[in-house]
Amino acid sequence: MKDKNYFLAKAQENMPELHCRNIIPDATEFVASDGDSILLDLGQHAVGHFSFTFDRVDVFVDAPVRLIIKFGEDMREINDDFSEYKGVLSKTWLQEELINLDYPQKITLPRRYACKYIKITIDRTTRPIRLFDFSFCASTSADVSVLKPINSNDALLNKIDIVATNTLKECIQTVFEDGPKRDRRLWIGDLRLEALTNYYTFNNLEIVRRCLYLFAAGECNELGFLPSFVYETPYYHSGEAHIEDYALLFVVSVCDYYEHTNDISVVNDLLDICKSQLDCFKSTLDDDSIVTKQNGWFAFIDWCPGLEVMTSLQGVYLYALERFAGLLKAIGDDDCENYTSLLPKVRLASKNHLYNENRNVFINSRDNNQFSVHSQVWMILGGVIDGEEAKKLLLNCLDNKKAMQPCTPYMHHYVVEAMLKLGMKDEAVQYLKKLWGGMVELGADTFWEAYVPDDLDFSPYNDRMINSLCHAWSCTPSYFIRKYEL
Ligand code: RAM
């Protein structure tokens, strides 16, 4: 019987091994007094545990020593004043500890951090102290020895690939985490993009299976949709959010997995769940075959404030439906026709009801007549429009100040995917260089959760300090560069 326990057992069977290595920062020892601070540079982004030793210099310490230890993914984070934080997510994600040490000792901080820099401030000591033996035990389950460099003639693409694979490596822990600083958990949208990139880089199939099974074990909401995230520690718990587009992307992730591995046993385990996701979604279509908002719904698509998402969501549905119909055909499933026959019908309906013939663009009342790149991209990926008409539409909206533009590399990914679907290889390279290359030029060692070139302070959470600077969904340039030989 394929129930929660079955799926959890499968997830456990596919637990990857974490590889750990010690990184010694640029400095080995400090003698410090009250108020001094020390900056340690790991020379690279790392995810793991920090340890050091503290001892007296001469006179024995007669009172606890209080240290403030701050971890930054970049120097901006180190210099930020966390007391000014005003974001909507919990301040506790900001990586800063205040510790009191009663006597000389070696200490390993219990929490895991994601950082390149560590700043230690001696908040209070009555005597000079010595800090030394700094060490950072970094972990990943990615096997870096299997990664081949791309050796492109284009220096910027080489650099983008290095930063992208580094981003993925840092997020591959015992699940595909979204970001090792925050939220440090498995989300479907991130999983899909990490798994794709993983196939062309570290090719760790175990972790893909583990993540798919962890979702399969999750509790669906009353509409039947999978949870969009799960926790794995200290025990399994499926997340409270149910994002519709993510539920559909679970289906796509299973299709990607099969396409890459031909592993029918996993597909057989997950097939009914995939069918149920598409069936639940279908039941939300109205008489015109267009998706309708349900009570308590949350569709993600991108983090742009005020983004209307119905057209995009319809596109995600078609995108998943097409992939799933392809999978059913490949494995000779009896239900294939049921899904395949929906495609032309829903595509035609989407063109009829969501496209504005006068303006030649997907703008409609269901999205409050909002003009967004997102709607155009997802209608292209959903196969509602293609060929020259689609190319023109895509270039026009990307060049149009009135169109809402993507604000995360997650959505930028789907822009590039749409370009490649339409055979726009040169434009895809230019776009990669502009967006991900822009982060490289700003000194990124790993790619960021959000990136708006004209507004470097942009945050989906109302404060840049909480943004993750090593975010899984940003790793896909390596997928594009390697798969399409860009
Ligand atoms: C953010 C997470 C994750 C994403 C969700 C929708 O909070 O970091 O990357 O999948 O939002």
PDB file of all heavy atoms in Angstrom, residues 13 25 44 55 74 80 174-175 222 237 245 268 271 292 300 374 424:
ATOM      1  N   GLU A  13      15.394   5.721   2.337  1.00  0.00           N
ATOM      2  CA  GLU A  13      16.310   4.880   1.541  1.00  0.00           C
ATOM      3  C   GLU A  13      17.217   5.727   0.664  1.00  0.00           C
ATOM      4  O   GLU A  13      18.302   5.322   0.313  1.00  0.00           O
ATOM      5  CB  GLU A  13      15.479   4.042   0.540  1.00  0.00           C
ATOM      6  CG  GLU A  13      15.166   2.650   0.931  1.00  0.00           C
ATOM      7  CD  GLU A  13      14.171   2.049  -0.091  1.00  0.00           C
ATOM      8  OE1 GLU A  13      14.296   2.264  -1.318  1.00  0.00           O
ATOM      9  OE2 GLU A  13      13.237   1.386   0.388  1.00  0.00           O
ATOM     10  N   PRO A  25      39.739  29.968   7.977  1.00  0.00           N
ATOM     11  CA  PRO A  25      39.665  31.351   7.484  1.00  0.00           C
ATOM     12  C   PRO A  25      41.041  31.993   7.332  1.00  0.00           C
ATOM     13  O   PRO A  25      42.063  31.399   7.668  1.00  0.00           O
ATOM     14  CB  PRO A  25      38.828  32.065   8.534  1.00  0.00           C
ATOM     15  CG  PRO A  25      38.588  31.127   9.639  1.00  0.00           C
ATOM     16  CD  PRO A  25      39.152  29.795   9.301  1.00  0.00           C
ATOM     17  N   GLN A  44      35.263  31.908   0.467  1.00  0.00           N
ATOM     18  CA  GLN A  44      34.247  31.254  -0.363  1.00  0.00           C
ATOM     19  C   GLN A  44      32.943  31.181   0.445  1.00  0.00           C
ATOM     20  O   GLN A  44      32.984  31.251   1.673  1.00  0.00           O
ATOM     21  CB  GLN A  44      34.669  29.833  -0.705  1.00  0.00           C
ATOM     22  CG  GLN A  44      34.873  28.967   0.523  1.00  0.00           C
ATOM     23  CD  GLN A  44      35.713  27.726   0.265  1.00  0.00           C
ATOM     24  OE1 GLN A  44      35.209  26.802  -0.321  1.00  0.00           O
ATOM     25  NE2 GLN A  44      36.957  27.732   0.698  1.00  0.00           N
ATOM     26  N   ASP A  55      40.950  31.606  24.917  1.00  0.00           N
ATOM     27  CA  ASP A  55      41.799  31.399  26.098  1.00  0.00           C
ATOM     28  C   ASP A  55      42.198  32.756  26.664  1.00  0.00           C
ATOM     29  O   ASP A  55      42.034  33.796  26.012  1.00  0.00           O
ATOM     30  CB  ASP A  55      43.043  30.575  25.703  1.00  0.00           C
ATOM     31  CG  ASP A  55      43.603  29.817  26.897  1.00  0.00           C
ATOM     32  OD1 ASP A  55      43.137  30.073  28.042  1.00  0.00           O
ATOM     33  OD2 ASP A  55      44.498  28.994  26.704  1.00  0.00           O
ATOM     34  N   ASP A  74      27.591  38.104   2.373  1.00  0.00           N
ATOM     35  CA  ASP A  74      28.485  39.074   1.730  1.00  0.00           C
ATOM     36  C   ASP A  74      28.818  40.171   2.745  1.00  0.00           C
ATOM     37  O   ASP A  74      28.309  40.169   3.871  1.00  0.00           O
ATOM     38  CB  ASP A  74      27.864  39.630   0.440  1.00  0.00           C
ATOM     39  CG  ASP A  74      26.685  40.569   0.688  1.00  0.00           C
ATOM     40  OD1 ASP A  74      26.260  40.717   1.862  1.00  0.00           O
ATOM     41  OD2 ASP A  74      26.188  41.150  -0.285  1.00  0.00           O
ATOM     42  N   ASP A  80      25.422  45.482   7.739  1.00  0.00           N
ATOM     43  CA  ASP A  80      24.037  45.871   8.049  1.00  0.00           C
ATOM     44  C   ASP A  80      23.825  45.969   9.558  1.00  0.00           C
ATOM     45  O   ASP A  80      24.397  45.192  10.318  1.00  0.00           O
ATOM     46  CB  ASP A  80      23.052  44.806   7.524  1.00  0.00           C
ATOM     47  CG  ASP A  80      22.766  44.968   6.046  1.00  0.00           C
ATOM     48  OD1 ASP A  80      22.955  46.073   5.526  1.00  0.00           O
ATOM     49  OD2 ASP A  80      22.371  43.956   5.421  1.00  0.00           O
ATOM     50  N   THR A 174      20.675  17.547   2.842  1.00  0.00           N
ATOM     51  CA  THR A 174      19.987  16.246   2.856  1.00  0.00           C
ATOM     52  C   THR A 174      18.671  16.319   2.077  1.00  0.00           C
ATOM     53  O   THR A 174      18.014  15.298   1.861  1.00  0.00           O
ATOM     54  CB  THR A 174      19.734  15.741   4.292  1.00  0.00           C
ATOM     55  OG1 THR A 174      19.171  16.806   5.039  1.00  0.00           O
ATOM     56  CG2 THR A 174      21.024  15.299   4.935  1.00  0.00           C
ATOM     57  N   VAL A 175      18.283  17.502   1.700  1.00  0.00           N
ATOM     58  CA  VAL A 175      17.247  17.715   0.677  1.00  0.00           C
ATOM     59  C   VAL A 175      17.769  18.849  -0.209  1.00  0.00           C
ATOM     60  O   VAL A 175      18.777  19.470   0.103  1.00  0.00           O
ATOM     61  CB  VAL A 175      15.874  18.155   1.271  1.00  0.00           C
ATOM     62  CG1 VAL A 175      15.243  17.037   2.063  1.00  0.00           C
ATOM     63  CG2 VAL A 175      15.998  19.433   2.098  1.00  0.00           C
ATOM     64  N   GLU A 222      -7.704  20.667   1.358  1.00  0.00           N
ATOM     65  CA  GLU A 222      -9.068  20.170   1.063  1.00  0.00           C
ATOM     66  C   GLU A 222      -9.346  20.117  -0.436  1.00  0.00           C
ATOM     67  O   GLU A 222     -10.199  19.366  -0.895  1.00  0.00           O
ATOM     68  CB  GLU A 222     -10.138  20.963   1.845  1.00  0.00           C
ATOM     69  CG  GLU A 222     -10.220  22.446   1.692  1.00  0.00           C
ATOM     70  CD  GLU A 222      -9.044  23.224   2.322  1.00  0.00           C
ATOM     71  OE1 GLU A 222      -8.165  22.634   2.993  1.00  0.00           O
ATOM     72  OE2 GLU A 222      -9.017  24.432   2.095  1.00  0.00           O
ATOM     73  N   HIS A 237       7.480  16.766   8.664  1.00  0.00           N
ATOM     74  CA  HIS A 237       6.238  17.512   8.829  1.00  0.00           C
ATOM     75  C   HIS A 237       5.943  18.207   7.505  1.00  0.00           C
ATOM     76  O   HIS A 237       6.819  18.882   6.961  1.00  0.00           O
ATOM     77  CB  HIS A 237       6.410  18.550   9.949  1.00  0.00           C
ATOM     78  CG  HIS A 237       5.160  19.320  10.216  1.00  0.00           C
ATOM     79  ND1 HIS A 237       4.048  18.764  10.805  1.00  0.00           N
ATOM     80  CD2 HIS A 237       4.834  20.610   9.949  1.00  0.00           C
ATOM     81  CE1 HIS A 237       3.092  19.670  10.902  1.00  0.00           C
ATOM     82  NE2 HIS A 237       3.549  20.799  10.388  1.00  0.00           N
ATOM     83  N   ASP A 245       0.554  26.553  -8.326  1.00  0.00           N
ATOM     84  CA  ASP A 245       1.525  26.341  -9.413  1.00  0.00           C
ATOM     85  C   ASP A 245       2.604  25.346  -8.966  1.00  0.00           C
ATOM     86  O   ASP A 245       3.115  24.566  -9.764  1.00  0.00           O
ATOM     87  CB  ASP A 245       2.143  27.645  -9.933  1.00  0.00           C
ATOM     88  CG  ASP A 245       2.375  28.704  -8.895  1.00  0.00           C
ATOM     89  OD1 ASP A 245       1.709  28.691  -7.855  1.00  0.00           O
ATOM     90  OD2 ASP A 245       3.247  29.573  -9.111  1.00  0.00           O
ATOM     91  N   ASN A 268       5.905   4.885 -11.350  1.00  0.00           N
ATOM     92  CA  ASN A 268       4.752   4.077 -10.920  1.00  0.00           C
ATOM     93  C   ASN A 268       4.311   4.446  -9.512  1.00  0.00           C
ATOM     94  O   ASN A 268       3.125   4.499  -9.215  1.00  0.00           O
ATOM     95  CB  ASN A 268       5.094   2.581 -10.978  1.00  0.00           C
ATOM     96  CG  ASN A 268       5.009   2.075 -12.409  1.00  0.00           C
ATOM     97  OD1 ASN A 268       4.336   2.684 -13.242  1.00  0.00           O
ATOM     98  ND2 ASN A 268       5.711   0.999 -12.701  1.00  0.00           N
ATOM     99  N   LEU A 271       2.620   8.135  -9.917  1.00  0.00           N
ATOM    100  CA  LEU A 271       1.689   8.423 -11.011  1.00  0.00           C
ATOM    101  C   LEU A 271       0.305   8.878 -10.529  1.00  0.00           C
ATOM    102  O   LEU A 271      -0.254   9.849 -11.040  1.00  0.00           O
ATOM    103  CB  LEU A 271       1.550   7.166 -11.887  1.00  0.00           C
ATOM    104  CG  LEU A 271       1.153   7.425 -13.333  1.00  0.00           C
ATOM    105  CD1 LEU A 271       2.128   8.363 -14.018  1.00  0.00           C
ATOM    106  CD2 LEU A 271       1.063   6.112 -14.089  1.00  0.00           C
ATOM    107  N   THR A 292     -10.303  29.253 -12.227  1.00  0.00           N
ATOM    108  CA  THR A 292     -10.983  30.229 -11.366  1.00  0.00           C
ATOM    109  C   THR A 292     -10.372  30.183  -9.966  1.00  0.00           C
ATOM    110  O   THR A 292      -9.943  29.119  -9.508  1.00  0.00           O
ATOM    111  CB  THR A 292     -12.489  29.899 -11.236  1.00  0.00           C
ATOM    112  OG1 THR A 292     -12.599  28.522 -10.850  1.00  0.00           O
ATOM    113  CG2 THR A 292     -13.218  30.140 -12.530  1.00  0.00           C
ATOM    114  N   PHE A 300       1.837  31.339  -6.753  1.00  0.00           N
ATOM    115  CA  PHE A 300       3.053  32.102  -6.525  1.00  0.00           C
ATOM    116  C   PHE A 300       3.501  32.862  -7.791  1.00  0.00           C
ATOM    117  O   PHE A 300       3.475  34.071  -7.830  1.00  0.00           O
ATOM    118  CB  PHE A 300       4.152  31.173  -5.993  1.00  0.00           C
ATOM    119  CG  PHE A 300       5.491  31.831  -5.969  1.00  0.00           C
ATOM    120  CD1 PHE A 300       5.685  32.996  -5.247  1.00  0.00           C
ATOM    121  CD2 PHE A 300       6.554  31.316  -6.707  1.00  0.00           C
ATOM    122  CE1 PHE A 300       6.921  33.643  -5.243  1.00  0.00           C
ATOM    123  CE2 PHE A 300       7.793  31.948  -6.703  1.00  0.00           C
ATOM    124  CZ  PHE A 300       7.968  33.112  -5.977  1.00  0.00           C
ATOM    125  N   HIS A 374       5.114  37.882 -17.123  1.00  0.00           N
ATOM    126  CA  HIS A 374       4.764  36.555 -16.609  1.00  0.00           C
ATOM    127  C   HIS A 374       3.657  35.890 -17.427  1.00  0.00           C
ATOM    128  O   HIS A 374       3.762  34.728 -17.806  1.00  0.00           O
ATOM    129  CB  HIS A 374       4.327  36.682 -15.147  1.00  0.00           C
ATOM    130  CG  HIS A 374       5.310  37.448 -14.306  1.00  0.00           C
ATOM    131  ND1 HIS A 374       5.522  38.795 -14.465  1.00  0.00           N
ATOM    132  CD2 HIS A 374       6.147  37.048 -13.331  1.00  0.00           C
ATOM    133  CE1 HIS A 374       6.443  39.195 -13.608  1.00  0.00           C
ATOM    134  NE2 HIS A 374       6.849  38.151 -12.906  1.00  0.00           N
ATOM    135  N   MET A 424      15.129  30.970 -29.623  1.00  0.00           N
ATOM    136  CA  MET A 424      15.823  32.264 -29.541  1.00  0.00           C
ATOM    137  C   MET A 424      17.115  32.127 -28.718  1.00  0.00           C
ATOM    138  O   MET A 424      17.245  32.706 -27.646  1.00  0.00           O
ATOM    139  CB  MET A 424      14.881  33.292 -28.887  1.00  0.00           C
ATOM    140  CG  MET A 424      13.584  33.478 -29.636  1.00  0.00           C
ATOM    141  SD  MET A 424      12.299  34.251 -28.612  1.00  0.00           S
ATOM    142  CE  MET A 424      12.915  35.919 -28.472  1.00  0.00           C
TER     143      MET A 424
END
